[in-house]
């Protein structure tokens, strides 16, 4: 058994990671760009999709103020390793909806994806749903159709969120995930869009990929984090 698939080890590491995140977020010197668009969405209430690339999951709780933003849930992989991430995120006040297209078995993949879609649409009737549109296994920064499909079906706006901090820990994972370090320089950059009426999914994927890239590039420019 791989260590991260052991429930006891998962729970212990998730607690440590969550505590580390809270400490780092409290000491990072944050720069916020275009926050007014997010504030308007939070003030309006209702459903909203929150999108950031998979490599920035470790920074994502910093962008969602629980005291004034909609209640949020995160769409996280059904894979065994996804349970560890789900526990760490849940300790930041963002419980998980489990499901993705990462399962090897085709029937399980379809079942998990369909259930996640239904649960996601249900969540968007009352609050926010966080998605990494290139997750859970990449390729990095290549958006699948799930995010724009949810936006189209729900009518909810989508917040594109660029997150960065420097210095930071870069993991050797497929996405070169970024984990925060205390007392570093941080940046959060926002953009917002609605699904264009009558647009084809492929066209929206291309446009939204560019928009999500743009906010992350700007966040990295502010902090000086090297792009990989």
């Amino acid at each position: 058994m791989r260590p991260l698939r052991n429930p006891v080890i998962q729970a212990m590491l998730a607690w440590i990671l969550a505590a580390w995140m809270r400490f780092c977020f409290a000491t990072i010197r944050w720069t916020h760009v275009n926050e007014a668009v997010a504030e308007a969405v939070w003030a309006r209430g209702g459903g909203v999709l929150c999108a950031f690339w998979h490599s920035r999951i470790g920074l994502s709780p910093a962008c969602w103020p629980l005291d004034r933003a909609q209640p949020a849930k995160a769409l996280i992989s059904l894979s065994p390793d996804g349970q560890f991430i789900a526990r760490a995120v849940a300790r930041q006040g963002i419980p998980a909806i489990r499901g993705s297209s990462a399962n090897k078995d085709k029937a399980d993949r379809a079942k998990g994806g369909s259930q996640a879609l239904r649960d996601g649409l249900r969540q968007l009737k009352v609050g926010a749903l966080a998605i990494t549109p290139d997750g859970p296994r990449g390729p990095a920064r290549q958006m699948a159709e799930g995010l724009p499909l949810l936006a189209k079906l729900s009518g909810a706006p989508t917040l594109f969120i660029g997150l960065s901090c420097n210095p930071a820990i870069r993991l050797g994972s497929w996405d070169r995930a970024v984990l925060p370090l205390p007392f570093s320089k941080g940046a959060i950059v926002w953009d917002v869009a609605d699904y264009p009426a009558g647009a084809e999914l492929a066209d929206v994927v291309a446009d939204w990929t560019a928009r999500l890239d743009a906010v992350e590039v700007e966040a990295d420019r502010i902090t000086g984090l090297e792009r990989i």
Side-chain angles (χ1 to χ4, degrees):
M1 176 183 292
R2 294 170 58 185
L4 283 182
R5 299 190 179 190
N6 183 299
V8 176
I9 294 177
Q10 281 185 354
M12 179 178 65
L13 291 180
W15 185 90
I16 294 171
L17 179 58
W20 174 258
M21 287 179 178
R22 284 192 292 269
F23 173 65
C24 291
F25 296 156
T27 62
I28 289 173
R29 305 180 307 278
W30 292 104
T31 297
H32 301 267
V33 177
N34 208 26
E35 188 176 16
V37 301
E39 292 284 359
V41 171
W42 298 333
R44 186 167 65 243
V48 55
L49 285 152
C50 318
F52 42 86
W53 291 129
H54 197 273
S55 66
R56 308 305 164 100
I57 287 178
L59 303 178
S60 61
C63 75
W64 209 251
L66 300 177
D67 61 337
R68 64 185 188 278
Q70 291 94 322
K73 292 186 178 180
L75 186 63
I76 295 180
S77 168
L78 277 169
S79 66
D81 291 343
Q83 178 63 35
F84 165 68
I85 300 172
R87 291 186 179 193
V89 172
R91 286 185 175 274
Q92 305 294 305
I94 306 175
I97 292 174
R98 307 298 306 284
S100 75
S101 59
N103 303 285
K104 294 181 179 180
D105 182 81
K106 188 173 182 180
D108 286 345
R109 182 167 63 246
K111 182 179 179 180
S114 298
Q115 184 62 48
L117 180 63
R118 290 192 296 270
D119 290 345
L121 290 172
R122 189 176 299 114
Q123 169 63 17
L124 287 168
K125 293 180 179 179
V126 297
L129 182 67
I131 293 181
T132 56
D134 59 339
R137 295 180 182 173
R141 301 191 187 112
Q142 291 189 23
M143 186 179 293
E145 292 185 345
L147 172 64
L149 179 59
L150 277 165
K152 180 180 182 180
L153 294 175
S154 68
T158 298
L159 280 172
F160 306 104
I161 308 171
L163 298 140
S164 182
C165 73
N166 187 35
I169 300 169
R170 297 299 294 253
L171 301 183
S173 53
W174 64 266
D175 60 347
R176 298 304 306 274
V178 176
L179 293 179
L181 284 172
F183 306 103
S184 59
K185 184 176 183 180
I188 305 174
V189 183
W190 285 273
D191 188 11
V192 66
D194 293 305
Y195 190 94
E200 296 292 332
L201 273 176
D203 294 333
V204 177
V205 166
D207 177 53
W208 286 13
T209 296
R211 295 179 76 156
L212 191 49
D213 276 340
V215 292
E216 188 178 275
V217 167
E218 176 62 10
D220 286 345
R221 185 196 67 78
I222 291 170
T223 65
L225 182 68
E226 180 184 4
R227 300 226 8 117
I228 297 177

